[in-house]
Amino acid sequence: MLQRFFGLVYLSAVSHLCLRGTLAECPLQISPQSVVVKYGDSVSVNCSTFVTHHGMGWESTVGAVSLSRDSLITLRVSELTDWEMQPPFCYLNYDEQQCTVDLPVTVYKTPDSVSISTVNQAMMEGNQYELQCDVHNVAPVQSLTVNWYKGETLVDQTNFTDTTKSPVSKTSKLAVHPDRADDGAQFRCEAEMNLGEGGPQPSPTNTSEPLNITVYYKPKHSSPTEIISRSDDVYLNCTVKANPAAVYTWHSEHLTEKISSSVIQSSTLNPGKYTCTATNCLGEDSKVFTVNCVTGCHGTFWTVLVFLQLLVAFTSIL
């Protein structure tokens, strides 16, 4: 009997301890437990209890519910437009105590626009430049991530620690070191709102228009020399990538006329060295071709000689 008495005393003490403990021990349940609301949208949250009580209600700057003896009450806001709204809480008067459960509220707004630009329109190979992404009127900025893409590849991300709840505009910058392979590359930036499990899924995103960059670079051959064996189907090809486009000049003791083409057919050339120089306004680069003689490379001379011998023989017969 004494053991049962102490057991009842223990249960009573535990009951009071739970009521006076943390908010999570309050015999209230709110559903959903947190809300993420787009600015201007409505919101509805239930608060319920399973215990006998002396009254419960919602305390809120908007949509408050006064003291009620019901076991389920609903906080309703038809149009949430308070950026600085304090978290509402449901309260319960129970066993001469009052406990509360807070409702975390996030009010968000997606950007009005997202744009990308470059500080310097003309980019030279080997220099550093900045791309800029401007995100206009977004909230809360702490939930914003700016994703940078080159083509379809994510190359960088920017997060913000600003705790401002109302809409602000933010700028993110990306440092780039362009080379000739980046000429014509496409960049874009994306504003992503990471609003957690209670927010819309997938996360809302706004993407800028793509930006194609132009990179200027001087000519550069893959190798400074090349050996060619002369034949009818082989060419001296000096073509090289450059921006602006290169112009070509050829130099050799065997050339009797000026050549501006980037390609020469080797069968029209005498054995020897031929230097091609590719030039644009940023610089120049030269390549030396060595044309070697192969068997029969003087075929034209021998063909003429044989023809003359045959002509003399035919004349003597006559």
Side-chain angles (χ1 to χ4, degrees), residues 141-294:
V141 71
Q142 222 172 10
S143 298
L144 172 66
T145 297
V146 174
N147 300 314
W148 284 95
Y149 290 89
K150 179 181 177 182
E152 297 303 317
T153 302
L154 177 66
V155 295
D156 198 21
Q157 290 182 308
T158 304
N159 294 303
F160 301 88
T161 58
D162 191 341
T163 58
T164 303
K165 295 181 179 180
S166 56
V168 294
S169 296
K170 286 293 181 179
T171 295
S172 171
K173 293 186 177 182
L174 176 70
V176 293
H177 300 79
D179 60 25
R180 61 191 59 213
D182 293 321
D183 187 28
Q186 188 176 91
F187 287 83
R188 60 186 171 90
C189 63
E190 173 188 83
E192 179 180 9
M193 297 298 293
N194 302 294
L195 297 164
E197 294 182 359
Q201 302 296 328
S203 299
T205 58
N206 294 64
T207 304
S208 71
E209 292 293 327
L211 173 70
N212 293 319
I213 67 169
T214 299
V215 182
Y216 295 98
Y217 54 96
K218 68 178 184 179
K220 184 178 180 181
H221 292 94
S222 58
S223 62
T225 60
E226 186 175 345
I227 298 176
I228 300 292
S229 295
R230 201 182 78 168
S231 64
D232 292 336
D233 57 353
V234 176
Y235 293 84
L236 278 61
N237 191 342
C238 186
T239 305
V240 67
K241 287 186 176 181
N243 190 17
V247 294
Y248 301 90
T249 55
W250 291 85
H251 303 277
S252 175
E253 61 181 8
H254 305 292
L255 292 176
T256 58
E257 60 181 17
K258 182 178 180 180
I259 298 175
S260 59
S261 172
S262 63
V263 179
I264 304 176
Q265 188 172 359
S266 65
S267 61
T268 64
L269 305 175
N270 293 320
K273 294 184 181 295
Y274 297 82
T275 300
C276 172
T277 301
T279 306
N280 69 6
C281 60
L282 299 177
E284 64 179 37
D285 193 46
S286 297
K287 182 172 182 176
V288 178
F289 296 86
T290 300
V291 178
N292 289 336
C293 180
V294 295

